[in-house]
Amino acid sequence: MQFKPKSVGFTIILGVLAAMLPLSIDMGLPAFPAIGTSLNASPATVGLTLSLFMVGYAISQLAFGPLSDRYGRKPILIIGCGLFTFASAACAIAPSINALVAWRFFQGAGAGAGMTLMLAMVRDLFEGATARAQLSYISLVINTAPIIAPTIGVGILAISSWRGIYGLLAVGGLILILTIALGLDESIKSRDLNAIKPHRLIGNYLRVLNNRVFIGYALVDALSFGCLFAYVAASSLVMINVLGISTTTYGLIFASTGIGIVAGSFISGLLNNRGVPSPRLLGFGLAISATSAITLVLVSMTGAAQLLTLLPLLIINTFCYGLIAPNAIHHALESVEDIAGSAAASIGFLEMLAGSLASFLVSVFFDGHTVNVMSEVMALFAIASLAIYSKMQFHK
């Protein structure tokens, strides 16, 4: 069965490809204590399974993008999913924590193909408001994953061990390979035969990085992702350790903020299809995101931080990310016409860089008894994103 580019099935497949990141992370989070017990590893060492996954995910995108410009999206996508599937199976049978950490790196590397080539395929096949709407609906699928993934992980742990989680990811990867092989056509119009030659590879990335429009919109997206990831990284520390809520309630809160992103993505797609100008959506989303993050700081500093004061602001902030990301990403890709793979890889890499920085700042400065650091890091990234966009508009 072939999935046509404008079909719902096509959108879902691209969304699932990009969702390999949140699925691989969030399904495994509930299993961290069990992994530590099973493999006789400290919490810090188990945490390396997440860190190395993120490193592999970030670096591999820089390779998959140019490779897809040279050989086409479909074969490189199959290779990436194949690496993800094999590494997931290896994780499921890992005999030691060191082996698990190593295979998580390769699992992350394989997952990197999903996001990069999804963006490149959208750039190949869609233009203008249609492309922005497509990215919005794909984002809707992506951001459904963090809502359901922890529940899936907990469900598997109830009937199996932590190894079952990685086994399920391997099965999912295999299904993806078959779906891509049988259901997707090649999207690239013309291959760049020199894309992976050193001089062209370096030249293409320099072209991307020297394109002010691309860098501006890519940074708007990356910094907004950093704002979101500051919340993701700090949420369990703040909600469970500081506010003292139960893990069940935390799961519901995390799901509600995930629904905020989904709602923002849906509204973005709907309004793009109805002809609402993208700059209006971007400007609104960035302004409200910064405002909600600054309000979080004020709530935190005045000692009024509790679940009822924080949750509405967090939902508003995540809703704004659903508005911002599809529009910023599309404008970045639109500014670079013939090297979509390298451009998409750069977007993904910058997102991971911003997310890692936000996570680092939260972990280093978290004081253990207030929500200040989460709010402050979110505000830092949100304000920076708005400032860059405002500067771009001023210099038009």
Side-chain angles (χ1 to χ4, degrees), residues 57-279:
Y57 184 88
I59 293 174
S60 71
Q61 294 180 84
L62 298 177
F64 284 129
L67 284 169
S68 75
D69 286 335
R70 169 61 181 88
Y71 295 107
R73 316 300 184 206
K74 185 172 179 177
I76 302 304
L77 197 50
I78 290 174
I79 290 171
C81 290
L83 176 60
F84 175 84
T85 301
F86 184 84
S88 296
C91 287
I93 59 173
S96 67
I97 189 63
N98 289 337
L100 180 61
V101 167
W103 283 115
R104 280 284 276 173
F105 172 85
F106 290 106
Q107 186 191 38
M115 175 61 80
T116 301
L117 300 190
M118 177 277 288
L119 293 175
M121 291 172 72
V122 170
R123 180 67 186 90
D124 293 339
L125 298 169
F126 303 97
E127 298 285 346
T130 305
R132 292 192 293 273
Q134 186 72 14
L135 284 169
S136 297
Y137 294 135
I138 290 170
S139 181
L140 191 154
V141 177
I142 296 170
N143 291 300
T144 301
I147 300 173
I148 63 173
T151 303
I152 295 173
V154 170
I156 293 173
L157 289 173
I159 60 174
S160 179
S161 71
W162 61 268
R163 298 181 185 276
I165 293 173
Y166 294 108
L168 182 61
L169 288 170
V171 171
L174 185 59
I175 293 172
L176 263 180
I177 293 172
L178 294 174
T179 302
I180 294 162
L182 301 176
L184 295 185
D185 292 325
E186 178 56 61
S187 65
I188 196 170
K189 297 177 178 64
S190 60
R191 293 172 174 82
D192 181 354
L193 300 182
N194 297 312
I196 58 174
K197 292 183 178 179
H199 70 283
R200 179 64 67 85
L201 181 66
I202 295 170
N204 283 347
Y205 274 120
L206 288 176
R207 275 182 60 197
V208 169
L209 297 176
N210 286 325
N211 185 316
R212 285 189 174 185
V213 175
F214 174 87
I215 285 296
Y217 282 111
L219 285 176
V220 167
D221 168 66
L223 290 167
S224 295
F225 181 80
C227 174
L228 173 70
F229 211 78
Y231 159 65
V232 172
S235 59
S236 62
L237 297 174
V238 166
M239 300 295 176
I240 297 174
N241 294 1
V242 176
L243 300 183
I245 66 173
S246 68
T247 54
T248 302
T249 304
Y250 167 69
L252 294 174
I253 292 169
F254 199 80
S256 67
T257 51
I259 292 170
I261 306 176
V262 170
S265 302
F266 178 78
I267 295 297
S268 175
L270 192 66
L271 294 179
N272 269 296
N273 276 331
R274 293 188 176 182
V276 175
S278 178

